[in-house]
Amino acid sequence: MLAAPINPSDINRIEGVYPVRPQVPAVGGYEGVGEVHSVGPAVKGLLPGDLVIPSPPSFGTWQTYIVKDQSVWYKINKNSPLEYAATITVNPLTALRMLEDFVTLNKGDAIVQNGATSIVGQCIIQLAQHRGIHNINIIRDRTGSDEVKEKLKNLGADEVFTESQLEVKNVKGLLSGIPEPALGFNCVGGNAASLVLKFLGRGGTMVTYGGMSKKPITVSTSSFIFKDLSLRGFWLQNWMSSEKAKECRVLIDSLLDLAREGKLKYEMELVPFDNFNAAIDKALGKQGSQPKQVINFQL
């Protein structure tokens, strides 16, 4: 293994609160990138030196060497940036699938999301912009929110609002020339989810893929009756186990192409394996908001 990220779902698996748990004893980590060290005599199509990722993702990427069946590994372009190859499957693929699987979006349409500073949020902004889809983004109130807004706008955000800015009766009056969103994404829950719903037009859909606030989603009766809103959920692992998973490797190639071209980027910190404990603390939020922690087994 060359590199592997620390994702929230990795932490949840260790805590025993994730719906799917590996048999113990187990090694952590679910995605990453490696270099083929050696192959068995019956293996065809992979050679020592090839860059590979587990696809679909597979348990146990937080280790320096892994021996698994050839079918687990997918060969990727050797020019792929290491940190993007290690992280391309879980977050960017989630963003792409959510943009494509729920509502047919055309150029000029709009989406709205909370948790816009998350990696999935950043990917949604860039993938939407790439397709000519307007994106409205909600962030929590924080010190330095103006700098955060600027960063997101540099990625391609059309509008960025803090939650307190949206404490108005008609949030749609804040939009200049952007149509009512047909699709919204929620990874926070609580009030932040309610704000996504306020933006959605009649017949709109909100997709929930996380619950960082650990607060429930509350929906008014009128939102269902008069706006006919739909609430859906997305879990990448569920999608991976469906027939659609056959598309997975083609989609990963297209996302890595965008990363190599500089059209898909997000903030990460490559951490030497010896600093694993410090990286875990950062991933747990013990030092405030931090970039995605990616363990580099080579450093």
PDB file of all heavy atoms in Angstrom, residues 10 44 50 55 64 97 106 130 142 152 200-201 220 249 265 279 288:
ATOM      1  N   ASP A  10     -14.591   4.941   8.433  1.00  0.00           N
ATOM      2  CA  ASP A  10     -13.560   4.086   9.031  1.00  0.00           C
ATOM      3  C   ASP A  10     -13.614   4.162  10.555  1.00  0.00           C
ATOM      4  O   ASP A  10     -13.518   3.139  11.249  1.00  0.00           O
ATOM      5  CB  ASP A  10     -12.157   4.518   8.554  1.00  0.00           C
ATOM      6  CG  ASP A  10     -11.959   4.357   7.059  1.00  0.00           C
ATOM      7  OD1 ASP A  10     -12.470   3.363   6.503  1.00  0.00           O
ATOM      8  OD2 ASP A  10     -11.300   5.214   6.452  1.00  0.00           O
ATOM      9  N   LYS A  44      -3.148 -12.649 -14.700  1.00  0.00           N
ATOM     10  CA  LYS A  44      -2.928 -12.007 -16.008  1.00  0.00           C
ATOM     11  C   LYS A  44      -3.469 -10.581 -15.944  1.00  0.00           C
ATOM     12  O   LYS A  44      -4.495 -10.327 -15.337  1.00  0.00           O
ATOM     13  CB  LYS A  44      -3.649 -12.775 -17.110  1.00  0.00           C
ATOM     14  CG  LYS A  44      -3.034 -14.143 -17.390  1.00  0.00           C
ATOM     15  CD  LYS A  44      -3.776 -14.844 -18.510  1.00  0.00           C
ATOM     16  CE  LYS A  44      -3.074 -16.128 -18.937  1.00  0.00           C
ATOM     17  NZ  LYS A  44      -2.970 -17.111 -17.848  1.00  0.00           N
ATOM     18  N   ASP A  50       2.567  -1.924 -11.209  1.00  0.00           N
ATOM     19  CA  ASP A  50       1.279  -1.330 -11.574  1.00  0.00           C
ATOM     20  C   ASP A  50       0.668  -0.620 -10.369  1.00  0.00           C
ATOM     21  O   ASP A  50       0.785  -1.076  -9.226  1.00  0.00           O
ATOM     22  CB  ASP A  50       0.298  -2.401 -12.059  1.00  0.00           C
ATOM     23  CG  ASP A  50       0.600  -2.885 -13.473  1.00  0.00           C
ATOM     24  OD1 ASP A  50       1.368  -2.198 -14.179  1.00  0.00           O
ATOM     25  OD2 ASP A  50       0.065  -3.942 -13.861  1.00  0.00           O
ATOM     26  N   SER A  55     -11.314  -2.106  -5.859  1.00  0.00           N
ATOM     27  CA  SER A  55     -12.543  -1.603  -6.478  1.00  0.00           C
ATOM     28  C   SER A  55     -13.478  -2.769  -6.803  1.00  0.00           C
ATOM     29  O   SER A  55     -13.151  -3.607  -7.634  1.00  0.00           O
ATOM     30  CB  SER A  55     -12.201  -0.838  -7.759  1.00  0.00           C
ATOM     31  OG  SER A  55     -13.350  -0.375  -8.399  1.00  0.00           O
ATOM     32  N   THR A  64       0.805  -2.013   5.317  1.00  0.00           N
ATOM     33  CA  THR A  64       1.823  -1.779   4.292  1.00  0.00           C
ATOM     34  C   THR A  64       1.772  -2.801   3.155  1.00  0.00           C
ATOM     35  O   THR A  64       2.108  -2.483   2.022  1.00  0.00           O
ATOM     36  CB  THR A  64       3.237  -1.784   4.918  1.00  0.00           C
ATOM     37  OG1 THR A  64       3.352  -2.917   5.778  1.00  0.00           O
ATOM     38  CG2 THR A  64       3.482  -0.518   5.737  1.00  0.00           C
ATOM     39  N   ARG A  97     -22.519   9.991  -8.139  1.00  0.00           N
ATOM     40  CA  ARG A  97     -23.722   9.160  -8.178  1.00  0.00           C
ATOM     41  C   ARG A  97     -24.949   9.956  -7.725  1.00  0.00           C
ATOM     42  O   ARG A  97     -26.025   9.829  -8.298  1.00  0.00           O
ATOM     43  CB  ARG A  97     -23.576   7.916  -7.293  1.00  0.00           C
ATOM     44  CG  ARG A  97     -22.606   6.866  -7.749  1.00  0.00           C
ATOM     45  CD  ARG A  97     -22.634   6.416  -9.169  1.00  0.00           C
ATOM     46  NE  ARG A  97     -23.891   6.513  -9.892  1.00  0.00           N
ATOM     47  CZ  ARG A  97     -23.987   6.652 -11.190  1.00  0.00           C
ATOM     48  NH1 ARG A  97     -22.898   6.771 -11.933  1.00  0.00           N
ATOM     49  NH2 ARG A  97     -25.152   6.691 -11.793  1.00  0.00           N
ATOM     50  N   ASN A 106     -30.382  19.193 -16.166  1.00  0.00           N
ATOM     51  CA  ASN A 106     -29.896  19.729 -17.438  1.00  0.00           C
ATOM     52  C   ASN A 106     -29.092  20.999 -17.201  1.00  0.00           C
ATOM     53  O   ASN A 106     -29.181  21.615 -16.130  1.00  0.00           O
ATOM     54  CB  ASN A 106     -31.083  20.034 -18.361  1.00  0.00           C
ATOM     55  CG  ASN A 106     -31.887  18.789 -18.680  1.00  0.00           C
ATOM     56  OD1 ASN A 106     -31.330  17.780 -19.106  1.00  0.00           O
ATOM     57  ND2 ASN A 106     -33.196  18.849 -18.464  1.00  0.00           N
ATOM     58  N   HIS A 130     -18.945  21.835 -13.828  1.00  0.00           N
ATOM     59  CA  HIS A 130     -18.443  21.186 -15.046  1.00  0.00           C
ATOM     60  C   HIS A 130     -19.589  20.879 -16.013  1.00  0.00           C
ATOM     61  O   HIS A 130     -19.407  20.880 -17.231  1.00  0.00           O
ATOM     62  CB  HIS A 130     -17.708  19.895 -14.652  1.00  0.00           C
ATOM     63  CG  HIS A 130     -16.919  19.272 -15.747  1.00  0.00           C
ATOM     64  ND1 HIS A 130     -15.894  19.915 -16.403  1.00  0.00           N
ATOM     65  CD2 HIS A 130     -17.011  18.042 -16.329  1.00  0.00           C
ATOM     66  CE1 HIS A 130     -15.383  19.114 -17.324  1.00  0.00           C
ATOM     67  NE2 HIS A 130     -16.047  17.974 -17.303  1.00  0.00           N
ATOM     68  N   ARG A 142     -19.161  30.385  11.377  1.00  0.00           N
ATOM     69  CA  ARG A 142     -17.846  30.112  11.969  1.00  0.00           C
ATOM     70  C   ARG A 142     -16.974  31.340  11.817  1.00  0.00           C
ATOM     71  O   ARG A 142     -17.245  32.217  10.992  1.00  0.00           O
ATOM     72  CB  ARG A 142     -17.185  28.929  11.263  1.00  0.00           C
ATOM     73  CG  ARG A 142     -16.779  29.276   9.823  1.00  0.00           C
ATOM     74  CD  ARG A 142     -16.310  28.072   9.067  1.00  0.00           C
ATOM     75  NE  ARG A 142     -17.443  27.316   8.534  1.00  0.00           N
ATOM     76  CZ  ARG A 142     -17.338  26.109   7.997  1.00  0.00           C
ATOM     77  NH1 ARG A 142     -16.162  25.531   7.916  1.00  0.00           N
ATOM     78  NH2 ARG A 142     -18.395  25.499   7.532  1.00  0.00           N
ATOM     79  N   LEU A 152     -14.767  28.345  -1.644  1.00  0.00           N
ATOM     80  CA  LEU A 152     -15.790  27.582  -2.360  1.00  0.00           C
ATOM     81  C   LEU A 152     -16.138  28.236  -3.696  1.00  0.00           C
ATOM     82  O   LEU A 152     -16.361  27.551  -4.696  1.00  0.00           O
ATOM     83  CB  LEU A 152     -17.041  27.416  -1.497  1.00  0.00           C
ATOM     84  CG  LEU A 152     -16.879  26.578  -0.216  1.00  0.00           C
ATOM     85  CD1 LEU A 152     -18.181  26.504   0.560  1.00  0.00           C
ATOM     86  CD2 LEU A 152     -16.377  25.171  -0.534  1.00  0.00           C
ATOM     87  N   LEU A 200     -35.799  24.210  -2.023  1.00  0.00           N
ATOM     88  CA  LEU A 200     -36.282  23.329  -3.088  1.00  0.00           C
ATOM     89  C   LEU A 200     -37.592  23.816  -3.693  1.00  0.00           C
ATOM     90  O   LEU A 200     -38.485  24.297  -2.987  1.00  0.00           O
ATOM     91  CB  LEU A 200     -36.469  21.907  -2.557  1.00  0.00           C
ATOM     92  CG  LEU A 200     -35.203  21.114  -2.243  1.00  0.00           C
ATOM     93  CD1 LEU A 200     -35.564  19.757  -1.646  1.00  0.00           C
ATOM     94  CD2 LEU A 200     -34.337  20.928  -3.483  1.00  0.00           C
ATOM     95  N   GLY A 201     -37.701  23.672  -4.999  1.00  0.00           N
ATOM     96  CA  GLY A 201     -38.938  24.003  -5.692  1.00  0.00           C
ATOM     97  C   GLY A 201     -39.955  22.875  -5.573  1.00  0.00           C
ATOM     98  O   GLY A 201     -39.655  21.794  -5.044  1.00  0.00           O
ATOM     99  N   SER A 220     -41.940  19.994   7.626  1.00  0.00           N
ATOM    100  CA  SER A 220     -43.294  20.497   7.852  1.00  0.00           C
ATOM    101  C   SER A 220     -44.295  19.732   6.993  1.00  0.00           C
ATOM    102  O   SER A 220     -43.969  19.267   5.896  1.00  0.00           O
ATOM    103  CB  SER A 220     -43.379  21.986   7.529  1.00  0.00           C
ATOM    104  OG  SER A 220     -43.212  22.187   6.132  1.00  0.00           O
ATOM    105  N   ARG A 249     -15.773   1.218 -12.093  1.00  0.00           N
ATOM    106  CA  ARG A 249     -14.380   1.416 -12.524  1.00  0.00           C
ATOM    107  C   ARG A 249     -14.273   2.439 -13.656  1.00  0.00           C
ATOM    108  O   ARG A 249     -13.326   3.215 -13.698  1.00  0.00           O
ATOM    109  CB  ARG A 249     -13.772   0.065 -12.910  1.00  0.00           C
ATOM    110  CG  ARG A 249     -13.663  -0.865 -11.704  1.00  0.00           C
ATOM    111  CD  ARG A 249     -13.060  -2.216 -12.017  1.00  0.00           C
ATOM    112  NE  ARG A 249     -12.816  -2.962 -10.785  1.00  0.00           N
ATOM    113  CZ  ARG A 249     -12.210  -4.140 -10.726  1.00  0.00           C
ATOM    114  NH1 ARG A 249     -11.784  -4.717 -11.842  1.00  0.00           N
ATOM    115  NH2 ARG A 249     -12.013  -4.741  -9.565  1.00  0.00           N
ATOM    116  N   LYS A 265     -10.532  19.004  -7.364  1.00  0.00           N
ATOM    117  CA  LYS A 265      -9.511  19.119  -6.326  1.00  0.00           C
ATOM    118  C   LYS A 265     -10.172  19.335  -4.975  1.00  0.00           C
ATOM    119  O   LYS A 265     -11.277  19.875  -4.883  1.00  0.00           O
ATOM    120  CB  LYS A 265      -8.529  20.251  -6.641  1.00  0.00           C
ATOM    121  CG  LYS A 265      -9.157  21.572  -7.025  1.00  0.00           C
ATOM    122  CD  LYS A 265      -8.123  22.498  -7.646  1.00  0.00           C
ATOM    123  CE  LYS A 265      -8.783  23.755  -8.185  1.00  0.00           C
ATOM    124  NZ  LYS A 265      -7.863  24.613  -8.911  1.00  0.00           N
ATOM    125  N   ALA A 279      -2.829  11.895  13.130  1.00  0.00           N
ATOM    126  CA  ALA A 279      -3.799  11.951  12.029  1.00  0.00           C
ATOM    127  C   ALA A 279      -5.181  11.497  12.497  1.00  0.00           C
ATOM    128  O   ALA A 279      -6.198  12.080  12.111  1.00  0.00           O
ATOM    129  CB  ALA A 279      -3.315  11.076  10.867  1.00  0.00           C
ATOM    130  N   GLY A 288     -10.187  20.823  15.730  1.00  0.00           N
ATOM    131  CA  GLY A 288     -11.017  21.670  14.876  1.00  0.00           C
ATOM    132  C   GLY A 288     -11.077  21.149  13.455  1.00  0.00           C
ATOM    133  O   GLY A 288     -10.688  20.011  13.173  1.00  0.00           O
TER     134      GLY A 288
END
